[in-house]
Amino acid sequence: MSDLFDRLKAAAGPGGYTEDGAEIAPHLEEWRSKYKGRSPLLLKPATTAALSAILAICNRAGAPVVIQGGNTGLVGGQIPLHGEVLISTARLNRIRALDRDGMTMTVEAGMTLAAVQQAADQAGLLFPLSLASEGSCTIGGNVATNAGGTHVLRYGMTRALVLGLEVVLADGRVLEMLRALHKDNSGYDLKQLFIGSEGTLGVVAAATLRLFPKPEESIVAFAALSSPEAAVALLGRMQSAMPGMLSAFELMPRRALEFVTAHIAGTRDPFAAPAPWYVLIEVAGAKSANLTAALEGALAAAAGDGTVHDAVVAASIAQAQDLWKLRESVSEAQKREGASIKHDISLPVAAIPAFLAKAVPAVLAVVPGARPVSFGHLGDGNLHFNFNAPAAGDDPAFLAQWDEAQQTVHDMVKEFSGSISAEHGIGAMKVASLPRYKSHEELDAMRALKAAFDPKNILNPGKTVPPVLRL
Ligand SMILES: Cc1cc2nc3c(=O)[nH]c(=O)nc-3n(C[C@H](O)[C@H](O)[C@H](O)COP(=O)(O)OP(=O)(O)OC[C@H]3O[C@@H](n4cnc5c(N)ncnc54)[C@H](O)[C@@H]3O)c2cc1C
Protein backbone atom coordinates (compact mmCIF):
# COMPACT_ATOMS: atom_id res chain seq x y z
CA MET A 1 0.00 0.00 0.00
CA SER A 2 2.78 2.44 0.92
CA ASP A 3 4.42 1.84 -2.49
CA LEU A 4 1.06 2.55 -4.20
CA PHE A 5 0.58 5.71 -2.15
CA ASP A 6 4.15 6.85 -2.89
CA ARG A 7 3.50 6.54 -6.62
CA LEU A 8 0.17 8.37 -6.30
CA LYS A 9 1.74 11.20 -4.30
CA ALA A 10 4.53 11.54 -6.85
CA ALA A 11 1.93 11.70 -9.66
CA ALA A 12 -0.08 14.36 -7.80
CA GLY A 13 3.06 16.46 -7.29
CA PRO A 14 4.01 18.88 -4.50
CA GLY A 15 0.94 20.35 -2.79
CA GLY A 16 -1.20 17.79 -4.59
CA TYR A 17 -1.92 15.38 -1.75
CA THR A 18 -2.47 15.04 1.98
CA GLU A 19 -2.62 12.18 4.46
CA ASP A 20 -3.41 14.54 7.35
CA GLY A 21 -6.65 13.36 8.97
CA ALA A 22 -7.67 16.88 9.97
CA GLU A 23 -7.30 18.14 6.39
CA ILE A 24 -9.17 15.16 4.96
CA ALA A 25 -12.00 15.28 7.55
CA PRO A 26 -14.18 18.01 5.90
CA HIS A 27 -14.24 15.90 2.72
CA LEU A 28 -15.67 12.88 4.51
CA GLU A 29 -19.06 14.24 5.51
CA GLU A 30 -21.70 15.87 3.35
CA TRP A 31 -24.11 18.74 3.85
CA ARG A 32 -26.93 16.73 5.43
CA SER A 33 -24.54 14.63 7.60
CA LYS A 34 -26.31 11.58 6.23
CA TYR A 35 -23.14 9.92 4.94
CA LYS A 36 -19.79 9.73 6.72
CA GLY A 37 -16.77 8.19 5.02
CA ARG A 38 -13.09 7.46 5.54
CA SER A 39 -10.06 7.81 3.33
CA PRO A 40 -6.34 7.42 3.96
CA LEU A 41 -5.27 9.72 1.13
CA LEU A 42 -6.67 12.85 -0.53
CA LEU A 43 -5.22 13.65 -3.96
CA LYS A 44 -5.57 17.10 -5.52
CA PRO A 45 -4.20 17.02 -9.07
CA ALA A 46 -3.72 20.45 -10.66
CA THR A 47 -3.56 19.29 -14.29
CA THR A 48 -5.29 16.79 -16.54
CA ALA A 49 -1.93 15.05 -16.99
CA ALA A 50 -1.60 14.54 -13.21
CA LEU A 51 -5.20 13.29 -12.99
CA SER A 52 -4.53 10.90 -15.84
CA ALA A 53 -1.34 9.55 -14.19
CA ILE A 54 -3.21 9.03 -10.89
CA LEU A 55 -6.03 7.09 -12.52
CA ALA A 56 -3.62 4.96 -14.54
CA ILE A 57 -1.81 3.96 -11.33
CA CYS A 58 -5.05 3.22 -9.48
CA ASN A 59 -6.42 1.20 -12.38
CA ARG A 60 -3.30 -0.94 -12.67
CA ALA A 61 -3.44 -1.62 -8.92
CA GLY A 62 -7.23 -2.11 -8.91
CA ALA A 63 -7.45 0.59 -6.22
CA PRO A 64 -10.91 2.18 -5.97
CA VAL A 65 -11.26 5.98 -6.02
CA VAL A 66 -14.04 8.47 -5.26
CA ILE A 67 -14.20 11.77 -7.10
CA GLN A 68 -15.18 14.91 -5.25
CA GLY A 69 -15.91 18.44 -6.46
CA GLY A 70 -17.57 20.89 -4.06
CA ASN A 71 -19.03 18.16 -1.80
CA THR A 72 -22.56 19.55 -2.10
CA GLY A 73 -24.07 16.40 -3.62
CA LEU A 74 -27.18 15.19 -1.82
CA VAL A 75 -27.03 11.42 -2.48
CA GLY A 76 -23.63 10.55 -0.97
CA GLY A 77 -21.89 9.97 -4.34
CA GLN A 78 -18.85 12.08 -3.42
CA ILE A 79 -18.17 10.39 -0.05
CA PRO A 80 -15.59 7.56 0.19
CA LEU A 81 -17.76 5.15 2.15
CA HIS A 82 -15.33 2.22 2.09
CA GLY A 83 -11.93 3.86 2.61
CA GLU A 84 -11.30 4.63 -1.07
CA VAL A 85 -8.62 7.09 -2.21
CA LEU A 86 -10.31 10.46 -2.61
CA ILE A 87 -9.59 12.65 -5.65
CA SER A 88 -10.56 16.31 -5.31
CA THR A 89 -10.82 18.55 -8.38
CA ALA A 90 -10.29 21.69 -6.28
CA ARG A 91 -6.98 22.62 -7.97
CA LEU A 92 -8.31 22.10 -11.52
CA ASN A 93 -9.77 25.59 -11.46
CA ARG A 94 -8.70 27.63 -14.46
CA ILE A 95 -10.60 29.29 -17.29
CA ARG A 96 -9.01 27.92 -20.44
CA ALA A 97 -10.85 30.04 -23.02
CA LEU A 98 -13.71 32.50 -23.33
CA ASP A 99 -15.19 33.32 -26.73
CA ARG A 100 -17.52 36.32 -26.46
CA ASP A 101 -18.79 36.23 -30.03
CA GLY A 102 -19.17 32.46 -30.13
CA MET A 103 -20.67 32.63 -26.61
CA THR A 104 -18.71 29.72 -25.18
CA MET A 105 -16.34 29.28 -22.27
CA THR A 106 -13.98 26.40 -21.53
CA VAL A 107 -13.33 25.88 -17.83
CA GLU A 108 -11.70 23.26 -15.66
CA ALA A 109 -13.83 20.95 -13.54
CA GLY A 110 -12.98 22.36 -10.11
CA MET A 111 -14.14 25.93 -10.79
CA THR A 112 -17.12 26.76 -8.63
CA LEU A 113 -20.39 27.44 -10.40
CA ALA A 114 -20.44 30.95 -8.89
CA ALA A 115 -16.98 31.69 -10.35
CA VAL A 116 -18.15 30.48 -13.78
CA GLN A 117 -21.28 32.67 -13.56
CA GLN A 118 -19.13 35.64 -12.55
CA ALA A 119 -16.66 35.14 -15.41
CA ALA A 120 -19.54 35.00 -17.88
CA ASP A 121 -21.08 38.11 -16.32
CA GLN A 122 -17.80 40.03 -16.59
CA ALA A 123 -17.77 39.18 -20.29
CA GLY A 124 -21.29 40.65 -20.61
CA LEU A 125 -22.87 37.21 -20.96
CA LEU A 126 -24.93 34.77 -18.91
CA PHE A 127 -24.24 31.23 -17.73
CA PRO A 128 -27.77 30.36 -16.63
CA LEU A 129 -27.23 27.35 -14.36
CA SER A 130 -28.24 28.49 -10.87
CA LEU A 131 -28.42 26.43 -7.66
CA ALA A 132 -28.57 27.42 -4.01
CA SER A 133 -25.21 25.61 -3.62
CA GLU A 134 -23.51 27.63 -6.37
CA GLY A 135 -20.89 29.18 -4.07
CA SER A 136 -19.43 25.71 -3.36
CA CYS A 137 -20.49 23.28 -6.07
CA THR A 138 -18.17 22.85 -9.05
CA ILE A 139 -18.79 22.71 -12.75
CA GLY A 140 -17.38 19.15 -12.80
CA GLY A 141 -19.90 18.18 -10.12
CA ASN A 142 -22.68 19.92 -12.03
CA VAL A 143 -21.77 17.96 -15.17
CA ALA A 144 -21.39 14.70 -13.26
CA THR A 145 -24.84 15.11 -11.66
CA ASN A 146 -26.51 16.82 -14.66
CA ALA A 147 -27.59 19.52 -12.20
CA GLY A 148 -30.89 21.35 -12.65
CA GLY A 149 -31.76 24.31 -10.45
CA THR A 150 -34.07 27.25 -10.89
CA HIS A 151 -33.73 28.11 -14.61
CA VAL A 152 -34.26 24.72 -16.24
CA LEU A 153 -37.64 25.87 -17.53
CA ARG A 154 -35.94 28.26 -19.93
CA TYR A 155 -32.38 26.97 -20.44
CA GLY A 156 -32.56 23.24 -19.70
CA MET A 157 -30.51 21.01 -17.38
CA THR A 158 -26.69 21.07 -17.38
CA ARG A 159 -26.84 18.58 -20.25
CA ALA A 160 -28.25 21.32 -22.49
CA LEU A 161 -25.49 23.76 -21.50
CA VAL A 162 -22.46 21.60 -22.31
CA LEU A 163 -20.92 21.61 -25.80
CA GLY A 164 -17.75 19.69 -25.09
CA LEU A 165 -15.93 17.74 -22.39
CA GLU A 166 -12.46 16.56 -21.49
CA VAL A 167 -12.79 13.27 -19.64
CA VAL A 168 -10.14 11.09 -18.05
CA LEU A 169 -11.09 7.43 -18.26
CA ALA A 170 -10.55 4.90 -15.49
CA ASP A 171 -7.31 3.66 -17.09
CA GLY A 172 -5.93 7.19 -17.43
CA ARG A 173 -6.60 7.70 -21.14
CA VAL A 174 -7.95 11.16 -21.95
CA LEU A 175 -11.05 11.62 -24.11
CA GLU A 176 -10.41 15.05 -25.58
CA MET A 177 -13.86 16.28 -26.70
CA LEU A 178 -13.65 19.99 -25.93
CA ARG A 179 -15.41 21.00 -29.13
CA ALA A 180 -17.41 24.22 -29.19
CA LEU A 181 -19.85 22.76 -31.70
CA HIS A 182 -23.62 23.10 -31.65
CA LYS A 183 -23.91 20.44 -34.33
CA ASP A 184 -21.78 17.32 -34.34
CA ASN A 185 -23.29 14.11 -35.62
CA SER A 186 -19.95 12.40 -36.25
CA GLY A 187 -20.91 9.20 -34.45
CA TYR A 188 -22.08 8.65 -30.87
CA ASP A 189 -22.29 11.80 -28.76
CA LEU A 190 -19.96 10.36 -26.12
CA LYS A 191 -19.94 13.42 -23.89
CA GLN A 192 -23.60 12.86 -23.06
CA LEU A 193 -22.73 9.50 -21.48
CA PHE A 194 -20.57 11.23 -18.89
CA ILE A 195 -23.12 13.96 -18.11
CA GLY A 196 -25.12 12.62 -15.18
CA SER A 197 -22.85 9.57 -14.71
CA GLU A 198 -21.99 10.68 -11.15
CA GLY A 199 -18.27 9.89 -11.38
CA THR A 200 -18.82 6.23 -12.30
CA LEU A 201 -17.73 6.25 -15.97
CA GLY A 202 -14.90 8.80 -16.07
CA VAL A 203 -13.60 11.96 -14.44
CA VAL A 204 -14.59 15.27 -16.01
CA ALA A 205 -11.46 17.43 -16.23
CA ALA A 206 -12.85 20.37 -18.23
CA ALA A 207 -16.00 21.49 -20.03
CA THR A 208 -16.88 23.83 -22.89
CA LEU A 209 -20.07 25.59 -21.85
CA ARG A 210 -22.74 27.52 -23.71
CA LEU A 211 -23.20 31.15 -22.71
CA PHE A 212 -26.24 33.30 -23.46
CA PRO A 213 -27.05 36.97 -23.93
CA LYS A 214 -27.99 38.53 -20.60
CA PRO A 215 -31.69 39.35 -20.46
CA GLU A 216 -32.03 43.15 -20.25
CA GLU A 217 -34.40 42.81 -17.34
CA SER A 218 -36.00 40.17 -15.20
CA ILE A 219 -39.19 40.65 -13.22
CA VAL A 220 -40.17 38.60 -10.21
CA ALA A 221 -43.65 38.10 -8.79
CA PHE A 222 -45.01 36.11 -5.85
CA ALA A 223 -48.59 34.90 -6.01
CA ALA A 224 -50.92 33.33 -3.44
CA LEU A 225 -53.18 30.49 -4.57
CA SER A 226 -55.62 27.99 -3.16
CA SER A 227 -54.29 24.73 -4.62
CA PRO A 228 -51.67 22.95 -6.73
CA GLU A 229 -54.36 22.72 -9.46
CA ALA A 230 -54.47 26.53 -9.54
CA ALA A 231 -50.65 26.62 -9.73
CA VAL A 232 -50.60 24.28 -12.74
CA ALA A 233 -53.34 26.35 -14.42
CA LEU A 234 -51.37 29.55 -13.76
CA LEU A 235 -48.20 28.00 -15.23
CA GLY A 236 -50.03 27.23 -18.48
CA ARG A 237 -51.50 30.71 -18.55
CA MET A 238 -48.09 32.37 -18.02
CA GLN A 239 -46.44 30.27 -20.71
CA SER A 240 -49.11 31.27 -23.20
CA ALA A 241 -49.13 34.94 -22.19
CA MET A 242 -45.33 35.35 -22.33
CA PRO A 243 -43.98 32.67 -24.69
CA GLY A 244 -40.32 31.84 -24.03
CA MET A 245 -39.99 34.49 -21.31
CA LEU A 246 -40.73 32.41 -18.23
CA SER A 247 -37.42 31.60 -16.52
CA ALA A 248 -38.67 30.26 -13.18
CA PHE A 249 -41.95 28.97 -11.78
CA GLU A 250 -41.49 27.71 -8.24
CA LEU A 251 -44.14 26.23 -5.95
CA MET A 252 -44.17 26.32 -2.15
CA PRO A 253 -46.86 25.59 0.46
CA ARG A 254 -47.93 27.82 3.36
CA ARG A 255 -45.94 25.69 5.81
CA ALA A 256 -42.70 26.40 3.90
CA LEU A 257 -43.37 30.14 4.05
CA GLU A 258 -44.06 29.87 7.79
CA PHE A 259 -40.78 27.98 8.35
CA VAL A 260 -38.84 30.57 6.33
CA THR A 261 -40.32 33.61 8.07
CA ALA A 262 -39.79 31.93 11.48
CA HIS A 263 -36.16 30.93 10.97
CA ILE A 264 -34.55 33.12 8.31
CA ALA A 265 -33.61 36.67 9.24
CA GLY A 266 -34.82 39.44 6.95
CA THR A 267 -37.80 37.53 5.50
CA ARG A 268 -41.49 38.34 5.83
CA ASP A 269 -44.82 37.17 4.43
CA PRO A 270 -45.59 39.54 1.54
CA PHE A 271 -49.36 39.19 2.02
CA ALA A 272 -51.78 40.30 4.76
CA ALA A 273 -53.84 37.09 4.61
CA PRO A 274 -52.47 33.52 4.57
CA ALA A 275 -53.01 31.27 1.53
CA PRO A 276 -52.50 27.50 1.21
CA TRP A 277 -50.00 27.69 -1.67
CA TYR A 278 -47.63 30.20 -3.31
CA VAL A 279 -45.70 30.44 -6.56
CA LEU A 280 -42.65 32.51 -7.37
CA ILE A 281 -42.62 33.58 -11.01
CA GLU A 282 -39.65 35.06 -12.88
CA VAL A 283 -39.86 36.37 -16.43
CA ALA A 284 -36.85 37.71 -18.31
CA GLY A 285 -36.21 39.33 -21.67
CA ALA A 286 -35.70 42.57 -23.56
CA LYS A 287 -36.89 45.88 -22.10
CA SER A 288 -38.94 46.41 -25.24
CA ALA A 289 -41.05 43.39 -24.26
CA ASN A 290 -42.52 45.47 -21.41
CA LEU A 291 -42.41 42.51 -19.07
CA THR A 292 -43.80 44.23 -15.98
CA ALA A 293 -47.00 45.19 -17.79
CA ALA A 294 -47.28 41.74 -19.37
CA LEU A 295 -46.79 39.98 -16.03
CA GLU A 296 -49.18 42.28 -14.19
CA GLY A 297 -51.76 41.78 -16.93
CA ALA A 298 -51.48 38.00 -16.78
CA LEU A 299 -51.74 38.02 -12.98
CA ALA A 300 -54.74 40.37 -13.05
CA ALA A 301 -56.51 38.06 -15.50
CA ALA A 302 -55.73 35.10 -13.22
CA ALA A 303 -57.05 37.01 -10.22
CA GLY A 304 -60.18 37.84 -12.20
CA ASP A 305 -61.14 34.19 -12.65
CA GLY A 306 -60.07 33.18 -9.13
CA THR A 307 -56.90 31.27 -10.10
CA VAL A 308 -54.83 33.68 -7.99
CA HIS A 309 -55.88 35.13 -4.59
CA ASP A 310 -53.28 37.86 -4.37
CA ALA A 311 -49.95 38.76 -5.99
CA VAL A 312 -47.01 41.15 -5.63
CA VAL A 313 -44.68 42.16 -8.45
CA ALA A 314 -41.22 43.30 -7.31
CA ALA A 315 -40.62 46.96 -8.09
CA SER A 316 -36.84 46.85 -7.55
CA ILE A 317 -33.92 44.43 -7.61
CA ALA A 318 -33.92 44.44 -3.79
CA GLN A 319 -37.59 43.43 -3.70
CA ALA A 320 -36.97 40.72 -6.29
CA GLN A 321 -34.10 39.38 -4.14
CA ASP A 322 -36.38 39.39 -1.08
CA LEU A 323 -38.96 37.30 -2.93
CA TRP A 324 -36.31 34.87 -4.19
CA LYS A 325 -35.01 34.59 -0.62
CA LEU A 326 -38.39 33.21 0.46
CA ARG A 327 -38.05 30.35 -2.00
CA GLU A 328 -34.31 29.75 -1.74
CA SER A 329 -34.39 29.58 2.07
CA VAL A 330 -36.87 26.71 2.25
CA SER A 331 -34.20 23.97 2.60
CA GLU A 332 -32.30 25.90 5.26
CA ALA A 333 -35.52 26.73 7.17
CA GLN A 334 -36.61 23.08 7.00
CA LYS A 335 -33.26 22.07 8.49
CA ARG A 336 -33.65 24.53 11.37
CA GLU A 337 -37.16 23.21 12.03
CA GLY A 338 -35.73 19.75 12.76
CA ALA A 339 -35.32 16.43 11.00
CA SER A 340 -36.91 15.83 7.62
CA ILE A 341 -37.38 12.95 5.21
CA LYS A 342 -36.74 14.18 1.66
CA HIS A 343 -37.53 13.04 -1.86
CA ASP A 344 -36.35 14.63 -5.11
CA ILE A 345 -38.88 13.41 -7.65
CA SER A 346 -40.21 14.43 -11.03
CA LEU A 347 -43.65 13.93 -12.49
CA PRO A 348 -45.57 14.98 -15.57
CA VAL A 349 -46.50 18.59 -14.63
CA ALA A 350 -50.23 18.04 -15.04
CA ALA A 351 -50.11 15.00 -12.72
CA ILE A 352 -48.69 16.93 -9.75
CA PRO A 353 -52.01 17.89 -8.09
CA ALA A 354 -53.32 14.31 -8.25
CA PHE A 355 -49.98 12.97 -7.01
CA LEU A 356 -50.01 15.32 -4.01
CA ALA A 357 -53.61 14.43 -3.18
CA LYS A 358 -52.74 10.72 -3.10
CA ALA A 359 -49.13 10.63 -1.88
CA VAL A 360 -49.37 12.99 1.12
CA PRO A 361 -51.99 10.86 2.95
CA ALA A 362 -50.09 7.69 1.99
CA VAL A 363 -46.92 8.99 3.68
CA LEU A 364 -48.86 10.25 6.68
CA ALA A 365 -50.22 6.74 7.14
CA VAL A 366 -46.60 5.55 7.45
CA VAL A 367 -45.34 8.51 9.50
CA PRO A 368 -48.33 9.88 11.43
CA GLY A 369 -48.04 13.54 12.39
CA ALA A 370 -45.24 14.33 9.91
CA ARG A 371 -45.47 17.84 8.46
CA PRO A 372 -45.54 17.84 4.62
CA VAL A 373 -43.41 20.52 2.88
CA SER A 374 -43.75 19.88 -0.87
CA PHE A 375 -42.00 22.57 -2.87
CA GLY A 376 -39.92 22.88 -5.97
CA HIS A 377 -39.53 23.63 -9.63
CA LEU A 378 -43.15 23.20 -10.71
CA GLY A 379 -42.36 24.38 -14.22
CA ASP A 380 -40.08 21.34 -14.62
CA GLY A 381 -42.41 18.91 -12.84
CA ASN A 382 -39.76 18.61 -10.08
CA LEU A 383 -40.97 18.35 -6.50
CA HIS A 384 -38.89 18.28 -3.35
CA PHE A 385 -41.48 16.10 -1.66
CA ASN A 386 -40.35 16.50 1.94
CA PHE A 387 -41.77 15.79 5.39
CA ASN A 388 -40.61 17.40 8.61
CA ALA A 389 -40.79 15.49 11.87
CA PRO A 390 -43.92 16.15 13.96
CA ALA A 391 -43.53 19.42 15.91
CA ALA A 392 -42.96 17.70 19.23
CA GLY A 393 -41.51 14.59 17.61
CA ASP A 394 -38.48 12.50 18.34
CA ASP A 395 -36.07 13.01 15.41
CA PRO A 396 -34.24 9.63 15.50
CA ALA A 397 -37.54 7.70 15.72
CA PHE A 398 -38.89 9.79 12.85
CA LEU A 399 -35.80 9.29 10.67
CA ALA A 400 -35.90 5.53 11.29
CA GLN A 401 -39.01 5.54 9.09
CA TRP A 402 -37.13 7.07 6.11
CA ASP A 403 -36.87 3.85 4.07
CA GLU A 404 -40.52 2.91 4.48
CA ALA A 405 -41.68 6.44 3.67
CA GLN A 406 -39.33 6.57 0.68
CA GLN A 407 -40.61 3.31 -0.74
CA THR A 408 -44.20 4.50 -0.36
CA VAL A 409 -43.33 7.71 -2.24
CA HIS A 410 -41.27 6.04 -4.94
CA ASP A 411 -43.91 3.37 -5.60
CA MET A 412 -46.43 6.14 -6.10
CA VAL A 413 -44.02 8.07 -8.35
CA LYS A 414 -43.80 4.96 -10.53
CA GLU A 415 -47.60 4.72 -10.60
CA PHE A 416 -47.70 8.33 -11.90
CA SER A 417 -44.97 7.63 -14.52
CA GLY A 418 -42.44 9.86 -12.77
CA SER A 419 -38.78 9.54 -11.79
CA ILE A 420 -37.35 8.77 -8.34
CA SER A 421 -34.54 11.24 -8.97
CA ALA A 422 -35.24 14.52 -10.74
CA GLU A 423 -31.91 16.27 -10.25
CA HIS A 424 -29.87 14.96 -7.32
CA GLY A 425 -28.92 11.59 -8.82
CA ILE A 426 -28.74 8.04 -7.47
CA GLY A 427 -25.35 7.92 -5.71
CA ALA A 428 -25.30 5.76 -2.59
CA MET A 429 -28.77 6.80 -1.46
CA LYS A 430 -30.95 5.22 -4.13
CA VAL A 431 -28.73 2.57 -5.70
CA ALA A 432 -30.35 -0.31 -3.78
CA SER A 433 -33.87 0.75 -4.72
CA LEU A 434 -33.18 1.53 -8.41
CA PRO A 435 -33.92 -2.05 -9.59
CA ARG A 436 -37.47 -1.68 -8.25
CA TYR A 437 -38.10 1.26 -10.60
CA LYS A 438 -36.02 0.64 -13.74
CA SER A 439 -36.52 -2.19 -16.20
CA HIS A 440 -34.03 -5.09 -16.41
CA GLU A 441 -33.18 -3.89 -19.89
CA GLU A 442 -32.26 -0.35 -18.71
CA LEU A 443 -30.24 -1.71 -15.80
CA ASP A 444 -28.39 -4.12 -18.09
CA ALA A 445 -27.55 -1.26 -20.47
CA MET A 446 -26.20 0.78 -17.52
CA ARG A 447 -24.08 -2.16 -16.35
CA ALA A 448 -22.75 -2.74 -19.88
CA LEU A 449 -21.61 0.89 -20.09
CA LYS A 450 -19.98 0.67 -16.66
CA ALA A 451 -18.14 -2.50 -17.66
CA ALA A 452 -16.99 -0.95 -20.95
CA PHE A 453 -15.62 2.26 -19.44
CA ASP A 454 -14.48 0.98 -16.05
CA PRO A 455 -13.86 -2.77 -16.36
CA LYS A 456 -12.02 -2.96 -13.02
CA ASN A 457 -14.82 -1.07 -11.24
CA ILE A 458 -12.50 1.49 -9.62
CA LEU A 459 -14.59 4.67 -10.17
CA ASN A 460 -17.08 5.36 -7.34
CA PRO A 461 -17.72 1.61 -6.94
CA GLY A 462 -21.09 0.59 -5.57
CA LYS A 463 -22.72 3.91 -6.44
CA THR A 464 -25.38 4.71 -9.08
CA VAL A 465 -25.14 1.36 -10.94
CA PRO A 466 -26.85 -1.46 -9.01
CA PRO A 467 -24.98 -4.79 -8.98
CA VAL A 468 -26.64 -7.85 -10.49
CA LEU A 469 -28.60 -9.58 -7.76
CA ARG A 470 -27.55 -13.20 -7.32
CA LEU A 471 -30.31 -15.35 -5.88
C1 LIG B 1 -28.22 23.91 -0.51
C2 LIG B 1 -28.17 23.00 -1.71
C3 LIG B 1 -28.99 23.26 -2.80
C4 LIG B 1 -28.94 22.44 -3.92
N1 LIG B 1 -29.75 22.72 -4.98
C5 LIG B 1 -29.71 21.95 -6.08
C6 LIG B 1 -30.56 22.23 -7.20
O1 LIG B 1 -31.38 23.13 -7.18
N2 LIG B 1 -30.44 21.43 -8.29
C7 LIG B 1 -29.55 20.39 -8.34
O2 LIG B 1 -29.48 19.71 -9.37
N3 LIG B 1 -28.76 20.10 -7.30
C8 LIG B 1 -28.81 20.84 -6.17
N4 LIG B 1 -28.00 20.55 -5.11
C9 LIG B 1 -27.11 19.37 -5.18
C10 LIG B 1 -25.66 19.68 -5.60
O3 LIG B 1 -25.30 21.01 -5.34
C11 LIG B 1 -25.45 19.36 -7.08
O4 LIG B 1 -25.62 17.97 -7.28
C12 LIG B 1 -24.08 19.75 -7.63
O5 LIG B 1 -24.09 19.59 -9.03
C13 LIG B 1 -22.92 18.92 -7.04
O6 LIG B 1 -21.69 19.56 -7.39
P1 LIG B 1 -20.38 19.32 -6.50
O7 LIG B 1 -19.23 19.96 -7.17
O8 LIG B 1 -20.62 19.75 -5.11
O9 LIG B 1 -20.23 17.75 -6.58
P2 LIG B 1 -19.91 16.70 -5.42
O10 LIG B 1 -20.91 16.79 -4.33
O11 LIG B 1 -18.49 16.83 -5.00
O12 LIG B 1 -20.10 15.34 -6.23
C14 LIG B 1 -21.37 14.95 -6.70
C15 LIG B 1 -21.21 13.71 -7.59
O13 LIG B 1 -20.48 14.05 -8.77
C16 LIG B 1 -19.24 13.33 -8.84
N5 LIG B 1 -18.23 14.25 -9.34
C17 LIG B 1 -17.89 15.47 -8.83
N6 LIG B 1 -16.96 16.06 -9.61
C18 LIG B 1 -16.72 15.22 -10.64
C19 LIG B 1 -15.89 15.27 -11.78
N7 LIG B 1 -15.10 16.31 -12.04
N8 LIG B 1 -15.89 14.21 -12.64
C20 LIG B 1 -16.69 13.14 -12.41
N9 LIG B 1 -17.49 13.03 -11.33
C21 LIG B 1 -17.52 14.06 -10.47
C22 LIG B 1 -19.01 12.81 -7.44
O14 LIG B 1 -18.25 11.62 -7.44
C23 LIG B 1 -20.43 12.59 -6.94
O15 LIG B 1 -20.91 11.35 -7.39
C24 LIG B 1 -28.05 21.33 -3.95
C25 LIG B 1 -27.22 21.08 -2.85
C26 LIG B 1 -27.28 21.89 -1.74
C27 LIG B 1 -26.36 21.59 -0.60
Side-chain angles (χ1 to χ4, degrees), residues 293-304:
L295 184 55
E296 284 174 350
L299 285 169

Side-chain angles (χ1 to χ4, degrees), residues 15 19 28 39 42 58 68 97 101 149 154 185 204 214 224 234 252 276 278 311 322 325 391 401 422 450 468:
E19 292 169 286
L28 303 179
S39 177
L42 172 65
C58 287
Q68 190 173 98
D101 295 335
R154 177 143 173 190
N185 279 349
V204 175
K214 275 197 234 178
L234 185 64
M252 57 194 273
Y278 302 93
D322 286 348
K325 192 169 178 179
Q401 292 161 297
K450 175 71 175 167
V468 180

Side-chain angles (χ1 to χ4, degrees), residues 31 66-74 76-79 89 109-110 130-133 136-150 157 197-200 202-205 327 331 377 384 423-424 427 460 463-464:
W31 195 71
V66 169
I67 324 302
Q68 190 173 98
N71 191 13
T72 69
L74 296 173
Q78 73 280 16
I79 302 297
T89 56
S130 177
L131 324 178
S133 54
S136 307
C137 68
T138 63
I139 216 66
N142 301 149
V143 171
T145 59
N146 186 29
T150 44
M157 304 277 282
S197 68
E198 302 181 45
T200 62
V203 183
V204 175
R327 163 62 185 89
S331 297
H377 317 297
H384 299 307
E423 49 180 23
H424 297 163
N460 277 5
K463 313 241 179 81
T464 309

Side-chain angles (χ1 to χ4, degrees), residues 422-433:
E423 49 180 23
H424 297 163
I426 296 298
M429 186 188 275
K430 297 179 183 171
V431 69
S433 52

Side-chain angles (χ1 to χ4, degrees), residues 352-439:
I352 283 179
F355 173 83
L356 287 169
K358 199 166 172 187
V360 170
V363 175
L364 294 181
V366 175
V367 199
R371 293 173 293 165
V373 185
S374 313
F375 66 100
H377 317 297
L378 184 74
D380 315 325
N382 179 187
L383 279 186
H384 299 307
F385 188 61
N386 300 347
F387 290 80
N388 268 79
D394 169 352
D395 285 357
F398 170 73
L399 289 174
Q401 292 161 297
W402 187 306
D403 288 348
E404 200 184 338
Q406 178 169 282
Q407 186 161 320
T408 303
V409 171
H410 288 172
D411 284 358
M412 210 157 278
V413 165
K414 187 176 181 187
E415 190 185 318
F416 279 81
S417 304
S419 166
I420 64 163
S421 176
E423 49 180 23
H424 297 163
I426 296 298
M429 186 188 275
K430 297 179 183 171
V431 69
S433 52
L434 199 59
R436 195 175 165 93
Y437 305 105
K438 276 218 189 278
S439 67

